[in-house]
Amino acid sequence: MRQLNRLNQFQRLWQPSSGAPQQITVAELAERCFCSERHVRTLLRQAQDSGWLSWQAQSGRGKRGTLTFHVTPETLRNEMMEQALTLGQQQNALELAQLAAPELRALLHPFLGGQWQNNTPTLRIPYYRPLEPLHPGFLPGRAEQHLAGQVFSGLTRFHQNTAEPLGDLAHHWEVSADGLRWHFYIRSTLHWHNGDPVDTAQLHRRLEMLLAQPALRTLFASVQRIEITHAQCLTFTLIKPDFWLAHRLASYCSVLAHPDNPAIGTGPFQLKIFEPELVRLESHNRYHLTHSLLQTIEYWITPQLFEQDLGTSCRHPVQLAIGEADDLRKLRLVSDSISLGFCYLTLRKSAALTTPQAQKLITLIHRTSLMQTLPLDENLITPSHELLPGWEIPLAEDSESVTFPATLTLIYHLPVELHTMAEQLRQALEKRGCKLTVIFHDAKTWDGCPNLSQADLVMGDRLIGDTPEYTLEQWLRCDPLWPHTLSPAQYSHLQATLDAVQTQKNPESRHAALQNVFHHLMDTAVLTPLFNYQYKISAPPGVNGIRLNARGWFDFTEAWLPASTET
């Protein structure tokens, strides 16, 4: 970035004297700026023309000239950032912001939230970390999962107002009487973000690419083959009935990118910029469903704004503030809910930890004050009393005759609230004669975790997607946690049970059967939920249509700005 380079060079000139006049040679300036004497003369001329400094040279080689400064690097940086923001050059501004001091908040504050910029309705969201690439398949972060659903489409989709999947790229589908052939009829008016029409063969090729991934092959284990049986029809042939198939195709992990360019999709928004400092989405004007009322969505990656005194947890972003975070008086709570997702504990039974001991540990967690005394932010978490609404946690009676093992090993991953939970559990067990060895796996998933098989206890975070029952089925089927938690025989039995559950066509029967699976896991002390998060979204006046979804975000197609906000 040219502006940032100019600022860095000016900083090198200014710093040795902190802005006081300098008597110095051109050769010394060139050495300081790591460039040639010819280039430093160009820098001095450009800076002088811009009014940043004055350079009065002396004739004769080696003579010292006088360098006088008219601005500070801090002032210059702020002027550059304000100019870039005014011109809509957000990426330039955010690159300059990496050098910013606390004044960054005041400088950014007029540009965040909902704005009409050049007659374009724009929503800017400050975010606490860079977003990871939206590669096909499973994504660990809920922000990335949500974003994938805004940029890409699946054959089917979830909607907040319906319990079952709806059509998306496929306008409808038919299932054979035996449940082994599923015909998905593709819309004829689909277009990629680059304007090209969508060909059914492209969707077929991307589906084949997805199923080549081991994790997705596990998810779609019942699919024998996918064929193009008509110019606008994709047919799935199964080896056994799977009435979760429409749900699997609606999941964020199954959305379909262009087979030759994974950044191009067919969703309501297209990716225009995806950089560490800025992610910019623009509405897709040939989208096949309801068009967005916003033209542009921008994530401004500004970790500098996310301090504890701003009321936003940097440890787990359950509160999303749209607009200037520095003036909380203008922000209003527009939506909040208790997440269905939960942090959990699994217990691997062995000679080191018996079922009665595991049940006693679960009773310790849920029937003592351990959960209530977690020193976490107020209103951040709430202890779990159910796995899902109506799926109660079975608890055994606390038996005095059962004692804890002398040693146990716990491994856990992010979110970092589990740091606190692990320490509380370690202290509670130590008081009861059990030494707990704690291992932290610095990741959001168990993929590639080398220590998982060594653990007696495992803690993690289970995000619940749009359909809770299906999300939990997918968790049991695909997460590498379960082969390590269960014995080979138990794991094989679990997968066979899930196969039997998926054959039930009636949704209520299928959900009830899955509930029985999880009740057994909880009753036998294999699994217990720990706590849920409080999701919140705050926005300034004038940003409307924001409603929390299952991932703690909101559907960008529903947000809108009134015309009166135009400036």
Side-chain angles (χ1 to χ4, degrees), residues 356-396:
Q357 289 172 326
Q359 290 172 330
K360 185 178 180 71
L361 180 54
I362 292 174
T363 300
L364 169 67
I365 292 171
H366 289 290
R367 285 188 172 162
T368 68
S369 61
L370 189 149
M371 296 289 292
Q372 283 72 22
T373 57
L374 289 177
L376 296 172
D377 294 344
E378 186 177 1
N379 298 324
L380 176 65
I381 66 170
T382 181
S384 300
H385 301 292
E386 302 171 303
L387 188 73
L388 290 179
W391 295 23
E392 294 184 2
I393 303 171
L395 295 176

Short mmCIF file of all heavy atoms in Angstrom, two decimals, residues 356-396:
data_model
loop_
_atom_site.label_atom_id
_atom_site.label_comp_id
_atom_site.label_asym_id
_atom_site.label_seq_id
_atom_site.Cartn_x
_atom_site.Cartn_y
_atom_site.Cartn_z
N PRO A 356 -20.14 -45.80 37.60
CA PRO A 356 -20.56 -45.11 38.84
C PRO A 356 -19.71 -43.89 39.15
O PRO A 356 -20.23 -42.87 39.63
CB PRO A 356 -20.42 -46.20 39.91
CG PRO A 356 -20.56 -47.48 39.16
CD PRO A 356 -19.91 -47.24 37.84
N GLN A 357 -18.41 -43.98 38.91
CA GLN A 357 -17.55 -42.82 39.15
C GLN A 357 -17.88 -41.68 38.19
O GLN A 357 -17.90 -40.51 38.59
CB GLN A 357 -16.08 -43.22 39.02
CG GLN A 357 -15.57 -44.11 40.13
CD GLN A 357 -14.17 -44.65 39.85
OE1 GLN A 357 -13.81 -44.91 38.71
NE2 GLN A 357 -13.39 -44.83 40.91
N ALA A 358 -18.14 -42.02 36.93
CA ALA A 358 -18.50 -41.00 35.96
C ALA A 358 -19.83 -40.35 36.33
O ALA A 358 -20.00 -39.12 36.22
CB ALA A 358 -18.58 -41.61 34.56
N GLN A 359 -20.79 -41.14 36.79
CA GLN A 359 -22.08 -40.58 37.21
C GLN A 359 -21.91 -39.68 38.42
O GLN A 359 -22.57 -38.63 38.53
CB GLN A 359 -23.05 -41.72 37.52
CG GLN A 359 -23.49 -42.49 36.27
CD GLN A 359 -24.31 -43.73 36.60
OE1 GLN A 359 -24.12 -44.36 37.65
NE2 GLN A 359 -25.22 -44.11 35.70
N LYS A 360 -21.02 -40.05 39.32
CA LYS A 360 -20.77 -39.22 40.50
C LYS A 360 -20.17 -37.87 40.09
O LYS A 360 -20.50 -36.83 40.66
CB LYS A 360 -19.82 -39.95 41.45
CG LYS A 360 -19.58 -39.23 42.78
CD LYS A 360 -18.67 -40.04 43.69
CE LYS A 360 -18.42 -39.34 45.03
NZ LYS A 360 -19.64 -39.37 45.87
N LEU A 361 -19.29 -37.90 39.08
CA LEU A 361 -18.68 -36.66 38.61
C LEU A 361 -19.73 -35.74 37.97
O LEU A 361 -19.74 -34.53 38.21
CB LEU A 361 -17.58 -36.98 37.60
CG LEU A 361 -16.83 -35.80 36.98
CD1 LEU A 361 -16.25 -34.89 38.06
CD2 LEU A 361 -15.73 -36.28 36.05
N ILE A 362 -20.63 -36.32 37.20
CA ILE A 362 -21.70 -35.52 36.60
C ILE A 362 -22.61 -34.93 37.67
O ILE A 362 -23.02 -33.77 37.60
CB ILE A 362 -22.51 -36.37 35.60
CG1 ILE A 362 -21.64 -36.71 34.39
CG2 ILE A 362 -23.79 -35.67 35.16
CD1 ILE A 362 -22.28 -37.66 33.40
N THR A 363 -22.90 -35.71 38.70
CA THR A 363 -23.70 -35.21 39.82
C THR A 363 -22.99 -34.06 40.52
O THR A 363 -23.63 -33.06 40.92
CB THR A 363 -23.98 -36.35 40.82
OG1 THR A 363 -24.70 -37.39 40.15
CG2 THR A 363 -24.80 -35.85 41.99
N LEU A 364 -21.67 -34.17 40.69
CA LEU A 364 -20.88 -33.09 41.30
C LEU A 364 -21.05 -31.79 40.51
O LEU A 364 -21.20 -30.71 41.10
CB LEU A 364 -19.41 -33.49 41.35
CG LEU A 364 -18.40 -32.39 41.72
CD1 LEU A 364 -18.61 -31.95 43.17
CD2 LEU A 364 -16.97 -32.89 41.52
N ILE A 365 -21.05 -31.90 39.19
CA ILE A 365 -21.15 -30.70 38.36
C ILE A 365 -22.54 -30.08 38.44
O ILE A 365 -22.68 -28.86 38.59
CB ILE A 365 -20.80 -31.06 36.89
CG1 ILE A 365 -19.32 -31.40 36.78
CG2 ILE A 365 -21.18 -29.92 35.95
CD1 ILE A 365 -18.92 -31.97 35.43
N HIS A 366 -23.58 -30.90 38.37
CA HIS A 366 -24.93 -30.36 38.24
C HIS A 366 -25.67 -30.17 39.57
O HIS A 366 -26.66 -29.42 39.61
CB HIS A 366 -25.77 -31.28 37.35
CG HIS A 366 -25.38 -31.22 35.90
ND1 HIS A 366 -25.61 -30.12 35.10
CD2 HIS A 366 -24.75 -32.13 35.09
CE1 HIS A 366 -25.16 -30.37 33.88
NE2 HIS A 366 -24.65 -31.57 33.85
N ARG A 367 -25.20 -30.81 40.64
CA ARG A 367 -25.94 -30.71 41.90
C ARG A 367 -25.17 -29.98 42.99
O ARG A 367 -25.55 -30.01 44.14
CB ARG A 367 -26.33 -32.11 42.38
CG ARG A 367 -27.49 -32.70 41.57
CD ARG A 367 -27.99 -33.98 42.18
NE ARG A 367 -29.21 -34.44 41.52
CZ ARG A 367 -29.69 -35.66 41.59
NH1 ARG A 367 -29.03 -36.59 42.30
NH2 ARG A 367 -30.80 -36.00 40.98
N THR A 368 -24.08 -29.35 42.63
CA THR A 368 -23.35 -28.51 43.59
C THR A 368 -23.31 -27.10 43.02
O THR A 368 -23.85 -26.81 41.96
CB THR A 368 -21.92 -29.04 43.81
OG1 THR A 368 -21.15 -28.86 42.62
CG2 THR A 368 -21.93 -30.50 44.22
N SER A 369 -22.62 -26.22 43.72
CA SER A 369 -22.53 -24.83 43.28
C SER A 369 -21.40 -24.60 42.29
O SER A 369 -21.10 -23.45 41.96
CB SER A 369 -22.34 -23.92 44.50
OG SER A 369 -21.13 -24.25 45.17
N LEU A 370 -20.78 -25.67 41.79
CA LEU A 370 -19.61 -25.52 40.92
C LEU A 370 -19.93 -24.64 39.71
O LEU A 370 -19.18 -23.73 39.37
CB LEU A 370 -19.10 -26.88 40.48
CG LEU A 370 -17.77 -26.94 39.73
CD1 LEU A 370 -17.04 -28.25 40.04
CD2 LEU A 370 -17.96 -26.83 38.23
N MET A 371 -21.05 -24.90 39.03
CA MET A 371 -21.38 -24.14 37.84
C MET A 371 -21.76 -22.70 38.17
O MET A 371 -21.45 -21.78 37.42
CB MET A 371 -22.54 -24.82 37.09
CG MET A 371 -22.19 -26.20 36.55
SD MET A 371 -21.06 -26.12 35.17
CE MET A 371 -22.09 -25.35 33.95
N GLN A 372 -22.44 -22.52 39.31
CA GLN A 372 -22.90 -21.18 39.67
C GLN A 372 -21.77 -20.27 40.12
O GLN A 372 -21.92 -19.04 40.13
CB GLN A 372 -23.95 -21.25 40.78
CG GLN A 372 -25.34 -21.69 40.32
CD GLN A 372 -25.41 -23.16 39.96
OE1 GLN A 372 -24.59 -23.95 40.42
NE2 GLN A 372 -26.37 -23.53 39.14
N THR A 373 -20.63 -20.84 40.47
CA THR A 373 -19.52 -20.01 40.98
C THR A 373 -18.44 -19.78 39.92
O THR A 373 -17.36 -19.30 40.26
CB THR A 373 -18.88 -20.69 42.21
OG1 THR A 373 -18.44 -22.01 41.86
CG2 THR A 373 -19.87 -20.77 43.35
N LEU A 374 -18.71 -20.10 38.68
CA LEU A 374 -17.73 -19.82 37.64
C LEU A 374 -17.53 -18.30 37.53
O LEU A 374 -18.49 -17.56 37.33
CB LEU A 374 -18.20 -20.36 36.29
CG LEU A 374 -18.21 -21.87 36.10
CD1 LEU A 374 -18.77 -22.23 34.73
CD2 LEU A 374 -16.83 -22.45 36.26
N PRO A 375 -16.30 -17.81 37.69
CA PRO A 375 -16.06 -16.36 37.66
C PRO A 375 -16.01 -15.83 36.24
O PRO A 375 -14.98 -15.41 35.73
CB PRO A 375 -14.70 -16.24 38.37
CG PRO A 375 -14.00 -17.52 38.05
CD PRO A 375 -15.08 -18.57 37.99
N LEU A 376 -17.16 -15.84 35.57
CA LEU A 376 -17.24 -15.35 34.21
C LEU A 376 -18.11 -14.11 34.16
O LEU A 376 -18.79 -13.76 35.13
CB LEU A 376 -17.83 -16.43 33.30
CG LEU A 376 -16.98 -17.70 33.15
CD1 LEU A 376 -17.77 -18.75 32.38
CD2 LEU A 376 -15.67 -17.42 32.45
N ASP A 377 -18.08 -13.42 33.01
CA ASP A 377 -18.85 -12.20 32.87
C ASP A 377 -20.33 -12.45 33.14
O ASP A 377 -20.89 -13.47 32.75
CB ASP A 377 -18.69 -11.63 31.45
CG ASP A 377 -17.27 -11.18 31.18
OD1 ASP A 377 -16.52 -11.03 32.15
OD2 ASP A 377 -16.93 -10.98 30.00
N GLU A 378 -20.98 -11.48 33.76
CA GLU A 378 -22.41 -11.59 34.06
C GLU A 378 -23.20 -11.71 32.76
O GLU A 378 -22.93 -11.05 31.77
CB GLU A 378 -22.86 -10.35 34.82
CG GLU A 378 -24.30 -10.43 35.30
CD GLU A 378 -24.68 -9.21 36.10
OE1 GLU A 378 -23.84 -8.32 36.25
OE2 GLU A 378 -25.83 -9.15 36.57
N ASN A 379 -24.17 -12.60 32.76
CA ASN A 379 -25.06 -12.82 31.62
C ASN A 379 -24.35 -13.41 30.40
O ASN A 379 -24.87 -13.36 29.29
CB ASN A 379 -25.75 -11.52 31.20
CG ASN A 379 -26.64 -10.97 32.29
OD1 ASN A 379 -27.27 -11.72 33.03
ND2 ASN A 379 -26.67 -9.65 32.41
N LEU A 380 -23.17 -14.00 30.61
CA LEU A 380 -22.47 -14.62 29.49
C LEU A 380 -22.94 -16.05 29.28
O LEU A 380 -23.17 -16.48 28.15
CB LEU A 380 -20.96 -14.60 29.74
CG LEU A 380 -20.08 -15.30 28.70
CD1 LEU A 380 -20.17 -14.57 27.37
CD2 LEU A 380 -18.63 -15.34 29.17
N ILE A 381 -23.08 -16.82 30.37
CA ILE A 381 -23.47 -18.22 30.25
C ILE A 381 -24.61 -18.52 31.21
O ILE A 381 -24.86 -17.78 32.16
CB ILE A 381 -22.29 -19.17 30.54
CG1 ILE A 381 -21.86 -19.05 32.02
CG2 ILE A 381 -21.13 -18.90 29.61
CD1 ILE A 381 -20.86 -20.11 32.45
N THR A 382 -25.28 -19.61 30.95
CA THR A 382 -26.30 -20.12 31.88
C THR A 382 -26.12 -21.63 31.98
O THR A 382 -25.95 -22.31 30.96
CB THR A 382 -27.72 -19.76 31.39
OG1 THR A 382 -28.68 -20.24 32.33
CG2 THR A 382 -28.01 -20.36 30.04
N PRO A 383 -26.08 -22.20 33.19
CA PRO A 383 -25.90 -23.65 33.33
C PRO A 383 -26.98 -24.42 32.60
O PRO A 383 -28.15 -24.02 32.57
CB PRO A 383 -25.99 -23.86 34.85
CG PRO A 383 -25.59 -22.55 35.45
CD PRO A 383 -26.13 -21.51 34.50
N SER A 384 -26.59 -25.52 31.97
CA SER A 384 -27.54 -26.34 31.21
C SER A 384 -28.37 -27.20 32.15
O SER A 384 -27.85 -27.83 33.06
CB SER A 384 -26.79 -27.24 30.23
OG SER A 384 -26.03 -26.49 29.32
N HIS A 385 -29.67 -27.24 31.88
CA HIS A 385 -30.57 -28.14 32.60
C HIS A 385 -31.16 -29.20 31.65
O HIS A 385 -31.73 -30.18 32.11
CB HIS A 385 -31.70 -27.35 33.25
CG HIS A 385 -31.21 -26.32 34.23
ND1 HIS A 385 -30.61 -26.66 35.42
CD2 HIS A 385 -31.20 -24.97 34.17
CE1 HIS A 385 -30.27 -25.56 36.08
NE2 HIS A 385 -30.62 -24.52 35.33
N GLU A 386 -31.00 -28.96 30.34
CA GLU A 386 -31.47 -29.89 29.33
C GLU A 386 -30.45 -29.92 28.19
O GLU A 386 -29.71 -28.94 28.00
CB GLU A 386 -32.82 -29.44 28.76
CG GLU A 386 -33.92 -29.28 29.78
CD GLU A 386 -35.16 -28.63 29.18
OE1 GLU A 386 -35.02 -27.52 28.63
OE2 GLU A 386 -36.24 -29.24 29.22
N LEU A 387 -30.42 -31.00 27.46
CA LEU A 387 -29.58 -31.04 26.27
C LEU A 387 -30.22 -30.20 25.17
O LEU A 387 -29.57 -29.34 24.57
CB LEU A 387 -29.39 -32.48 25.79
CG LEU A 387 -28.37 -32.67 24.67
CD1 LEU A 387 -26.96 -32.50 25.20
CD2 LEU A 387 -28.52 -34.04 24.02
N LEU A 388 -31.48 -30.44 24.89
CA LEU A 388 -32.35 -29.59 24.08
C LEU A 388 -33.63 -29.41 24.88
O LEU A 388 -33.88 -30.16 25.84
CB LEU A 388 -32.67 -30.26 22.73
CG LEU A 388 -31.54 -30.38 21.70
CD1 LEU A 388 -32.07 -31.09 20.45
CD2 LEU A 388 -30.95 -29.04 21.33
N PRO A 389 -34.47 -28.45 24.54
CA PRO A 389 -35.73 -28.31 25.27
C PRO A 389 -36.52 -29.61 25.30
O PRO A 389 -36.81 -30.21 24.26
CB PRO A 389 -36.46 -27.23 24.46
CG PRO A 389 -35.36 -26.40 23.88
CD PRO A 389 -34.27 -27.37 23.55
N GLY A 390 -36.81 -30.09 26.51
CA GLY A 390 -37.52 -31.35 26.69
C GLY A 390 -36.62 -32.56 26.81
O GLY A 390 -37.11 -33.65 27.12
N TRP A 391 -35.32 -32.40 26.54
CA TRP A 391 -34.37 -33.51 26.65
C TRP A 391 -33.63 -33.37 27.98
O TRP A 391 -32.50 -32.87 28.04
CB TRP A 391 -33.38 -33.50 25.49
CG TRP A 391 -33.98 -33.75 24.14
CD1 TRP A 391 -35.28 -33.55 23.76
CD2 TRP A 391 -33.29 -34.22 22.98
NE1 TRP A 391 -35.45 -33.87 22.43
CE2 TRP A 391 -34.25 -34.29 21.92
CE3 TRP A 391 -31.98 -34.60 22.72
CZ2 TRP A 391 -33.92 -34.71 20.64
CZ3 TRP A 391 -31.65 -35.02 21.43
CH2 TRP A 391 -32.62 -35.08 20.41
N GLU A 392 -34.28 -33.79 29.05
CA GLU A 392 -33.73 -33.57 30.39
C GLU A 392 -32.45 -34.37 30.62
O GLU A 392 -32.22 -35.42 30.01
CB GLU A 392 -34.77 -33.96 31.45
CG GLU A 392 -36.00 -33.06 31.44
CD GLU A 392 -36.96 -33.42 32.57
OE1 GLU A 392 -36.63 -34.35 33.35
OE2 GLU A 392 -38.02 -32.79 32.65
N ILE A 393 -31.61 -33.85 31.51
CA ILE A 393 -30.36 -34.52 31.88
C ILE A 393 -30.66 -35.52 33.00
O ILE A 393 -31.04 -35.11 34.10
CB ILE A 393 -29.32 -33.50 32.37
CG1 ILE A 393 -29.06 -32.43 31.31
CG2 ILE A 393 -28.01 -34.20 32.75
CD1 ILE A 393 -28.21 -31.28 31.81
N PRO A 394 -30.51 -36.82 32.77
CA PRO A 394 -30.73 -37.79 33.85
C PRO A 394 -29.54 -37.75 34.82
O PRO A 394 -28.38 -37.76 34.41
CB PRO A 394 -30.81 -39.13 33.11
CG PRO A 394 -30.05 -38.92 31.85
CD PRO A 394 -30.19 -37.47 31.48
N LEU A 395 -29.85 -37.70 36.11
CA LEU A 395 -28.80 -37.66 37.13
C LEU A 395 -28.98 -38.82 38.10
O LEU A 395 -30.09 -39.07 38.59
CB LEU A 395 -28.85 -36.33 37.89
CG LEU A 395 -28.53 -35.06 37.09
CD1 LEU A 395 -28.72 -33.82 37.95
CD2 LEU A 395 -27.12 -35.11 36.52
N ALA A 396 -27.89 -39.51 38.38
CA ALA A 396 -27.92 -40.59 39.37
C ALA A 396 -27.82 -40.01 40.77
O ALA A 396 -27.38 -38.88 40.97
CB ALA A 396 -26.76 -41.56 39.11
#
